[in-house]
Amino acid sequence: MQNQWSAVNSGPLTGWGRYPVVQAKTVRPENWSAVDNYVKNANSDTLIARGKGRSYGDASINDNGYTILLERFDRFTSFDNTSGDLHLESGVTLEEIINIFAPRGWFPAVVPGTKYVTVGGAIAADIHGKNHHRDGSFCNFVKSFTVIVASGEKVFCSREQNSDLFWATVGGMGLTGIITDVQMTLKPIESVFVEKTEIKAKNLDAVMSLFDQHEKDYQYSVAWIDCLARGNDLGRSILMLGNSLTKDDERIKHLSNPLSLKEKRQIQVPIDSPDWLLNPFTMGTFNSLFYAKQMSDHHKGIANFESYFFPLDAIGSWNRLYGKRGFIQHQTVFPEETSREALKTLLTLSSENGWGSFLAVLKRFGPQDGWLSFPRPGYTLTLDIAVKDGLFDFLKELESVVLNYGGRIYLAKDAFLSADGFRKMYPRFDEWQKVKAKYDPKNTFSSHLSQRLEIR
């Protein structure tokens, strides 16, 4: 047993939001046999898998056990150029998929705001993108995967075979076991360009009407929202709509290869931003300038995939912009019937108390399966909030608002939700917990998040 853990490193570890910080023991196995042995010999130790560490909060850190780093499991196994079916290891990133398959005319059907996530992490968080209202989440395009469960056994699962483990692992935050290999489906593309339309909205009511009016005609929709605006301007936004361009579109027809990816330079944030930079005045000024930068009410243009889907990836270590103490990305979703009043309440609290952010995003979700999957039909709002004195009290207040309007908080980004609040927000938790107990009776797979939420 001791030899199994000889490669242990100890030190501080965080999620992408850099809060909380734990002293973690990490191991980086070289092959799946080593992972099997880690699981079989865990005894009373707890384990959690980690890919690129892009979950914002505490889902991929484990201060009471071991964190298993899986980024070396990055091999492609097979690809069917007719169906788009791709078989690969769970440590492959979306970036690697895009770099190899976009020039061949294939792209992941669902991508989040960064391409630096592994496929295993994408399943564990059941990530979503700007097209959820049409296509649902990442797992809608996953056919099957294999999980190393607590016994050390590898269990194949799909919607038809061992479906209980499949649905408990989708959105299960890595707490049912370690995903090894995955079969997923890519979607065909004819170019790496998106036609984008940007429409200014004077307030929340206006942007929600614009979603209703235009969303059916677009594959992608997302709105930047000024979370510090007040009064009649509350919720003023820029709605950004998009459709993939075909190779025959007049605007790109002249290109010799519309599937060619261009290498993009990345700007690095070299140091942590000072705390004084993050105040209501600077954020309010930024938001006002961002809203005003678009001179006309309607703007049309063309963007490549890189800038359209992953704008923040152009800024390396952008998480440093929120200072040494880190930040919380607080993402909530509310049912259609309560979204309008819930969002007004939440935005009013943010603006009146000065808990704004540079990045606030509004999207609309469609239906979603998955017992612990975050999306549900309705509107979702994302806020980046720097960790400062008083934040915990503010987040407790937000949790009450979310519960009052029947919403839920995204576990992949959370670091503060209470155990009681979690159970109220995720009504299928009891169903999920029975599967957890079946495949992990000793609670071998555990994280800072699961311990905080009292998941066993």
Side-chain angles (χ1 to χ4, degrees):
M1 177 66 185
Q2 184 59 39
N3 289 335
Q4 293 299 329
W5 304 106
S6 58
V8 167
N9 290 314
S10 297
L13 192 66
T14 73
W16 182 246
R18 305 173 75 195
Y19 181 89
V21 182
V22 302
Q23 292 299 312
K25 292 176 286 190
T26 59
V27 292
R28 183 176 279 113
E30 298 290 340
N31 51 59
W32 288 116
S33 295
V35 178
D36 288 344
N37 286 331
Y38 287 140
V39 175
K40 288 175 181 174
N41 295 296
N43 296 323
S44 60
D45 290 315
T46 60
L47 315 171
I48 194 69
R50 178 181 170 106
K52 287 292 185 181
R54 282 296 183 128
S55 54
Y56 286 76
D58 52 0
S60 65
I61 55 179
N62 181 16
D63 49 343
N64 291 317
Y66 292 86
T67 303
I68 301 180
L69 309 179
L70 297 178
E71 68 265 41
R72 289 182 179 170
F73 298 94
D74 58 355
R75 289 169 292 191
F76 294 93
T77 306
S78 65
F79 179 66
D80 185 327
N81 199 42
T82 303
S83 65
D85 282 355
L86 176 63
H87 197 170
L88 71 173
E89 290 185 317
S90 59
V92 174
T93 65
L94 297 186
E95 178 192 28
E96 290 163 334
I97 294 174
I98 292 167
N99 286 345
I100 291 174
F101 292 99
R104 301 180 184 186
W106 297 93
F107 196 76
V110 172
V111 293
T114 176
K115 60 186 177 181
Y116 302 126
V117 297
T118 64
V119 170
I123 294 172
D126 198 11
I127 59 172
H128 56 271
K130 298 178 177 70
N131 55 337
H132 191 279
H133 63 289
R134 281 197 173 192
D135 300 319
S137 72
F138 188 83
C139 288
N140 284 12
F141 301 89
V142 173
K143 290 189 171 181
S144 65
F145 47 79
T146 300
V147 182
I148 300 177
V149 296
S151 64
E153 178 189 6
K154 287 184 178 178
V155 180
F156 173 86
C157 57
S158 66
R159 288 168 177 79
E160 297 78 30
Q161 188 171 344
N162 297 314
S163 61
D164 59 347
L165 183 60
F166 181 91
W167 288 117
T169 302
V170 168
M173 306 311 298
L175 298 173
T176 57
I178 297 175
I179 302 168
T180 60
D181 59 277
V182 178
Q183 186 176 13
M184 58 184 288
T185 304
L186 304 182
K187 71 171 185 178
I189 56 172
E190 295 187 13
S191 82
V192 292
F193 295 94
V194 174
E195 178 191 49
K196 62 177 184 178
T197 300
E198 297 178 344
I199 309 174
K200 291 179 86 167
K202 61 182 180 181
N203 54 36
L204 183 65
D205 288 331
V207 74
M208 294 179 80
S209 295
L210 288 171
F211 270 105
D212 283 338
Q213 184 180 348
H214 294 285
E215 199 177 50
K216 63 181 182 301
D217 298 321
Y218 289 89
Q219 292 173 283
Y220 309 107
S221 63
V222 61
W224 169 85
I225 190 166
D226 182 353
C227 61
L228 288 176
R230 300 187 187 189
N232 293 332
D233 292 332
L234 184 76
R236 65 180 180 179
S237 313
I238 299 176
L239 176 62
M240 294 170 274
L241 304 161
N243 279 323
S244 297
L245 282 184
T246 63
K247 63 183 179 182
D248 296 325
D249 188 280
E250 291 295 333
R251 290 161 290 186
I252 61 170
K253 204 173 179 179
H254 63 284
L255 297 176
S256 59
N257 183 6
L259 291 170
S260 176
L261 294 170
K262 290 185 178 179
E263 189 172 340
K264 196 166 184 177
R265 294 184 61 185
Q266 190 178 60
I267 302 168
Q268 288 291 329
V269 178
I271 58 173
D272 298 307
S273 294
D275 288 346
W276 58 262
L277 187 63
L278 304 167
N279 60 66
F281 175 75
T282 55
M283 287 187 283
T285 301
F286 172 86
N287 286 359
S288 295
L289 291 173
F290 191 90
Y291 184 74
K293 78 177 178 63
Q294 182 174 312
M295 302 297 290
S296 60
D297 288 343
H298 283 69
H299 172 76
K300 282 184 174 291
I302 294 176
N304 63 39
F305 278 8
E306 194 79 33
S307 60
Y308 186 79
F309 291 114
F310 316 116
L312 284 176
D313 284 349
I315 308 171
S317 304
W318 66 263
N319 51 354
R320 288 182 170 177
L321 293 172
Y322 287 91
K324 286 184 178 179
R325 296 169 71 179
F327 71 102
I328 301 298
Q329 188 163 95
H330 187 273
Q331 184 170 2
T332 57
V333 59
F334 296 101
E336 289 277 1
E337 57 271 23
T338 65
S339 285
R340 190 179 302 269
E341 288 308 311
L343 291 170
K344 284 181 179 178
T345 303
L346 201 149
L347 289 169
T348 299
L349 279 173
S350 297
S351 60
E352 288 183 349
N353 293 283
W355 286 104
S357 71
F358 296 113
L359 179 67
V361 173
L362 183 67
K363 291 197 291 279
R364 197 174 194 178
F365 285 158
Q368 185 60 53
D369 297 319
W371 300 345
L372 293 188
S373 291
F374 168 66
R376 58 167 299 164
Y379 283 89
T380 177
L381 178 68
T382 305
L383 301 171
D384 283 353
I385 311 173
V387 174
K388 296 186 295 186
D389 294 343
L391 177 60
F392 183 74
D393 290 338
F394 178 63
L395 292 175
K396 289 292 291 182
E397 195 170 6
L398 292 189
E399 182 176 325
S400 297
V401 172
V402 176
L403 286 170
N404 188 45
Y405 287 99
R408 67 173 58 137
I409 292 172
Y410 192 11
L411 299 182
K413 299 178 176 179
D414 171 53
F416 276 101
L417 178 62
S418 69
D420 182 57
F422 162 68
R423 281 157 177 75
K424 292 175 180 173
M425 293 176 189
Y426 288 83
R428 299 191 73 177
F429 172 66
D430 288 345
E431 196 175 352
W432 178 91
Q433 196 168 31
K434 290 176 183 175
V435 183
K436 164 80 168 169
K438 174 182 174 181
Y439 290 99
D440 186 15
K442 295 181 180 177
N443 199 37
T444 297
F445 297 104
S446 178
S447 64
H448 195 278
L449 176 142
S450 70
Q451 293 150 27
R452 174 169 53 82
L453 297 181
E454 300 174 8
I455 297 175
R456 299 182 181 85

